[in-house]
Amino acid sequence: MEELKQRILRDGKVRGSNEVLKVDSFLNHQMDVAFLQDVGRAFRQRFADCQIDRILTIEASGIGIACLAALAFDQVPVVFAKKNKTKNIAGDVYLSQVESFTQSKRPYNIFVSKEFLLPGERVLLIDDFLANGSALSALIDVVHQAGAQVVGAGIVIEKAFQPGGKLIREKGIRVESLARIAAMSEETGVVFCDD
């Protein structure tokens, strides 16, 4: 998605030793809703050949993106995995574990109420970043626990120089990334993959 690449080059900031790409001015803190509508439509184009019953993401950064993608998919329901089991999650839950790259680098659990993810459903995963693949692996695990099917994963930005994309694709999951980064540094900025 050329518009996304230009936005990353213009507004993105690389921090640390090739670890963090800050896109919080338009994607995952302050959200440019009109731009995210285009992102949602791009996912719809990429997965036009798939029947989608539900979109699944993880809180918090994926929620806005997933909601705008859902509009492009004729308003399919969006479910997000919670990072904390709260009192308002009634009944049984699916549970999996994520080792966060950007948060504490310690594992945490995610929860999805069994009420909102049903056997036989065709589920599209949506997330803002794919780096090491831990969050997506946990979401895939939750879908499989439910007896549902992952039809694919829509990723806004994939750090192709990290192992997550390869890991998820080796699981047989279709991954459609709108921008794939080959390398990045504070000195040189972001370099995109040719594909």
Side-chain angles (χ1 to χ4, degrees):
M1 183 177 171
E2 190 58 35
E3 182 184 0
L4 172 60
K5 291 178 182 178
Q6 293 307 314
R7 193 72 185 261
I8 291 168
L9 292 174
R10 187 180 78 220
D11 298 329
K13 297 177 179 95
V14 179
R15 297 286 185 250
S17 58
N18 307 333
E19 290 187 359
V20 176
L21 174 62
K22 289 179 59 69
V23 289
D24 54 357
S25 67
F26 66 93
L27 184 65
N28 56 15
H29 191 61
Q30 174 176 272
M31 293 183 287
D32 181 334
V33 176
F35 176 72
L36 291 182
Q37 284 183 304
D38 292 340
V39 167
R41 286 190 281 270
F43 285 135
R44 178 68 175 110
Q45 290 173 343
R46 301 266 181 124
F47 291 99
D49 60 329
C50 298
Q51 175 194 334
I52 307 293
D53 300 314
R54 193 170 304 270
I55 292 175
L56 178 64
T57 191
I58 193 166
E59 73 173 346
S61 297
I63 296 172
I65 300 161
C67 287
L68 290 164
L71 290 175
F73 283 96
D74 300 322
Q75 300 183 13
V76 299
V78 173
V79 175
F80 65 91
K82 294 190 173 205
K83 295 179 182 176
N84 295 298
K85 189 173 180 186
T86 59
K87 290 181 181 178
N88 60 351
I89 296 182
D92 292 334
V93 296
Y94 302 112
L95 166 72
S96 194
Q97 192 173 78
V98 176
E99 187 169 327
S100 174
F101 177 74
T102 56
Q103 291 187 349
S104 62
K105 295 191 181 185
R106 290 181 298 167
Y108 62 87
N109 291 327
I110 60 167
F111 306 87
V112 174
S113 173
K114 290 185 178 181
E115 177 182 4
F116 302 122
L117 192 56
L118 306 174
E121 288 186 320
R122 299 173 53 82
V123 180
L124 176 63
L125 307 177
I126 296 283
D127 210 354
D128 59 343
F129 275 93
L130 174 55
N132 289 322
S134 183
L136 267 186
S137 292
L139 290 174
I140 292 165
D141 179 44
V142 165
V143 171
H144 290 164
Q145 288 178 49
Q149 176 187 354
V150 176
V151 296
I155 304 299
V156 180
I157 301 169
E158 178 181 345
K159 294 178 183 176
F161 59 90
Q162 291 181 302
K166 183 175 188 277
L167 172 80
I168 300 302
R169 289 177 178 97
E170 285 177 348
K171 293 180 183 209
I173 303 295
R174 175 180 172 185
V175 177
E176 294 285 346
S177 300
L178 302 183
R180 296 182 72 237
I181 296 174
M184 63 184 199
S185 73
E186 289 186 26
E187 296 77 29
T188 62
V190 174
V191 177
F192 294 102
C193 295
D194 291 333
D195 53 5

